[in-house]
Amino acid sequence: QEKESKQSVYTNLAICAVMLNLTFVSWGLLQERMLTRRYPRLTGEYFTYSYALVFTNRFWTLVMSGLLLLYLKPRTSRTTIIYEYSFPSISNMLSSWCQYEALRYVSFPAVTIFKAFKLAPVMVMGKLLGNHSYPQYEYVMAIFIGVGIAMFMTSTDELTFDLDVHGEHSSAKWTGVMLLVFYLFFDSFTSQWQS
């Protein structure tokens, strides 16, 4: 970094930001497409095996990380406690499963908007796990964001918890809401434990 110019650092930062956003947008579009289309097209069944998506994702992550370990050959650490890596791993798996499973009961836009309320659970989990202290204005900001999301969701005609990912009425909408609450819990635990 000391040898690079300010312009090249900004260029690299911009490329990383664009590629990261492209990756997440592509992932979201493919996820929605996979869960909202019939297989075979128009006449078949919907994809309902959310645990298969989570397992496939984690399996290929394991393969890629194993290949990177073989390629990079990092030094082993004497202070690393291996079993502690299982906590964020399991909570990450559970948060992904809750997110995918919630799509069986609520719409994709409802899930996306609900995920925007992540700030408050992350702050609460940071206080519980790491005894982090946040300025008072951040708590107020988290409350305002939550209230704004709730107002948006209740005022938008097409954004209800009554429709599932296939656009059909769901009688178990509160199951979807509870799965989203669990998603936020596990996801905030994962990020705070990793910190």
Side-chain angles (χ1 to χ4, degrees):
Q1 289 179 350
E2 295 171 1
K3 296 178 182 178
E4 292 186 32
S5 68
K6 204 177 224 185
Q7 181 64 32
S8 68
V9 170
Y10 286 141
T11 303
N12 288 339
L13 178 63
I15 289 170
C16 289
V18 167
M19 294 308 292
L20 186 63
N21 281 308
L22 276 174
T23 302
F24 279 123
V25 167
S26 301
W27 177 42
L29 290 172
L30 289 171
Q31 175 185 344
E32 183 181 15
R33 182 182 174 98
M34 179 180 282
L35 294 171
T36 58
R37 301 285 170 100
R38 291 181 183 269
Y39 298 98
R41 190 84 170 121
L42 302 175
T43 59
E45 297 178 4
Y46 291 111
F47 186 84
T48 58
Y49 301 104
S50 56
Y51 46 87
L53 288 177
V54 175
F55 175 77
T56 304
N57 181 311
R58 298 309 182 261
F59 175 76
W60 286 110
T61 302
L62 178 69
V63 168
M64 291 299 294
S65 62
L67 291 173
L68 280 172
L69 283 173
L70 289 174
Y71 178 73
L72 297 174
K73 296 180 179 62
R75 290 181 304 169
T76 57
S77 171
R78 296 177 194 270
T79 60
T80 302
I81 302 171
I82 296 296
Y83 79 88
E84 287 185 351
Y85 285 94
S86 67
F87 301 138
S89 176
I90 291 170
S91 65
N92 189 359
M93 180 186 65
L94 289 172
S95 71
S96 296
W97 179 81
C98 288
Q99 176 190 353
Y100 289 132
E101 197 65 19
L103 288 170
R104 294 178 66 184
Y105 305 103
V106 297
S107 68
F108 187 81
V111 170
T112 304
I113 296 296
F114 200 90
K115 285 167 46 175
F117 186 61
K118 192 173 167 180
L119 181 61
V122 166
M123 290 173 67
V124 169
M125 197 62 71
K127 185 74 174 162
L128 292 174
L129 289 180
N131 202 18
H132 294 282
S133 60
Y134 300 98
Q136 191 172 10
Y137 73 88
E138 287 191 19
Y139 290 107
V140 172
M141 186 172 53
I143 290 170
F144 274 121
I145 289 172
V147 169
I149 291 168
M151 288 172 53
F152 177 78
M153 291 183 77
T154 57
S155 67
T156 306
D157 292 337
E158 297 176 13
L159 190 61
T160 65
F161 284 108
D162 293 346
L163 301 176
D164 64 6
V165 71
H166 311 299
E168 299 167 358
H169 283 281
S170 173
S171 60
K173 63 182 175 182
W174 292 111
T175 303
V177 172
M178 287 307 300
L179 284 166
L180 289 173
V181 168
F182 285 135
Y183 160 75
L184 288 177
F185 172 78
F186 290 126
D187 198 51
S188 60
F189 175 85
T190 301
S191 62
Q192 289 301 317
W193 185 270
Q194 286 174 335
S195 295

